[in-house]
Structure formats: C-alpha cells, structure tokens
Amino acid sequence: MKAKVYVNLKSGVLDPQGKAIQHSVELLGFSGISDVRQGKYFEIALEGSDVAQARESVDKIAREVLSNPIIEDYRVEIES
Amino acid sequence: MKAKVYVNLKSGVLDPQGKAIQHSVELLGFSGISDVRQGKYFEIALEGSDVAQARESVDKIAREVLSNPIIEDYRVEIES
C-alpha cells in the first residue's frame, strides 16, 4: 500500500523560500504569478492491506515526524 | 487561480533523506514501513482565468525552475 503526505505552511506563516522562488520566476520573465508557497511531499510504502490501520499509522507519522504542527498543516492520502 | 506542483525523485534515484526519515520512523516504533521518499510541493497563485494558458505557464515553471529534469519528475494540477 502507498500513502502520500503533503505538508504545507499554515496560511499566516511567512514563507521566504516561496517568496524567493516567486522573485526568481518573475526575473525569468514569467508574469501573472501572485504567490508561491513551498511545501513538502512524502511517499510512504507500507506493508499490509488494512487501509484504516494504514491511515491511522501514517497520520501519526505525519503529525509527529513529518510536520511541525505549530506552523504546518498536513494532508494524508492512502492509495490501496 | 491556483496551481499545485508536485516534484519527486525518479524511481531509480537514491533518496538519502527519505532513508533517514524511514530509519527515524522505525526507531520511533512504527513498523511495516517499507520505503519513504521525500519530494517537494508548491502552491502557485496565478492571476487570470485561462486554464490552458495557466497550465502551460506552470508546466514551464515546473520544468525550468522547480525541478531538475535529470533526476526528478513533476506533476502539475490546476484548480480553477
């Protein structure tokens, strides 16, 4: 089974890396970009076939290891 | 309009950061994790409402700025 975890900064949190990308993209001649925010993306391969258990386990990993809940939100998707 | 870009390492490419996460997760007592791979995730806010043009523009940004096509694949999603 495969799980995907998306971690992104909460909306009020400053994202200097995203701003730097936005600036670079504008310098390269792309226009009409009003905001860029960078997040993280994880693909986790799991043994077993219990979707509910996998979701619970990956949710815990996302909360405790992959994200900082003070400044980041996460989203978990399970592909069975 | 909003675009999401997912960048991940191609399947043959070593991912030491993913391996480190997998190791940490195992040390923390999570079992049944057979692989972890880390990627990047970008949210881009665009002006205008032409979906085809937005897709073309974001695809170009993803290819030229956000990913390294030699070792990474990318995927673009447009939310109108």
Side-chain angles (χ1 to χ4, degrees), chain B residues 28-63:
Chain B
L28 288 166
F30 295 97
S31 59
I33 309 293
S34 53
D35 194 31
V36 178
R37 291 183 75 80
Q38 171 154 20
K40 288 174 284 184
Y41 163 58
F42 303 90
E43 284 183 359
I44 301 176
L46 295 139
E47 289 153 18
S49 58
D50 184 336
V51 174
Q53 199 196 317
R55 182 173 292 279
E56 196 186 324
S57 167
V58 172
D59 198 84
K60 201 155 179 259
I61 291 171
R63 199 171 54 241

Side-chain angles (χ1 to χ4, degrees), chain A residues 32 34-35 37 39 41 43 45 47, chain B residues 32 34-35 37 39 41 45 47:
Chain A
S34 54
D35 193 31
R37 291 184 75 81
Y41 163 58
E43 285 184 359
E47 288 152 18
Chain B
S34 53
D35 194 31
R37 291 183 75 80
Y41 163 58
E47 289 153 18

Side-chain angles (χ1 to χ4, degrees), chain A residues 6 8 21 25 28 30 32-47 61 65-66 75, chain B residues 6 21 25 28 30 32-47 61 65-66 75:
Chain A
Y6 305 95
N8 58 311
I21 294 168
V25 161
L28 288 167
F30 296 97
I33 308 294
S34 54
D35 193 31
V36 178
R37 291 184 75 81
Q38 171 154 22
K40 287 175 284 185
Y41 163 58
F42 302 91
E43 285 184 359
I44 301 176
L46 294 139
E47 288 152 18
I61 292 171
V65 187
L66 303 178
R75 194 170 88 241
Chain B
Y6 306 95
I21 294 168
V25 161
L28 288 166
F30 295 97
I33 309 293
S34 53
D35 194 31
V36 178
R37 291 183 75 80
Q38 171 154 20
K40 288 174 284 184
Y41 163 58
F42 303 90
E43 284 183 359
I44 301 176
L46 295 139
E47 289 153 18
I61 291 171
V65 186
L66 303 177
R75 193 171 89 242

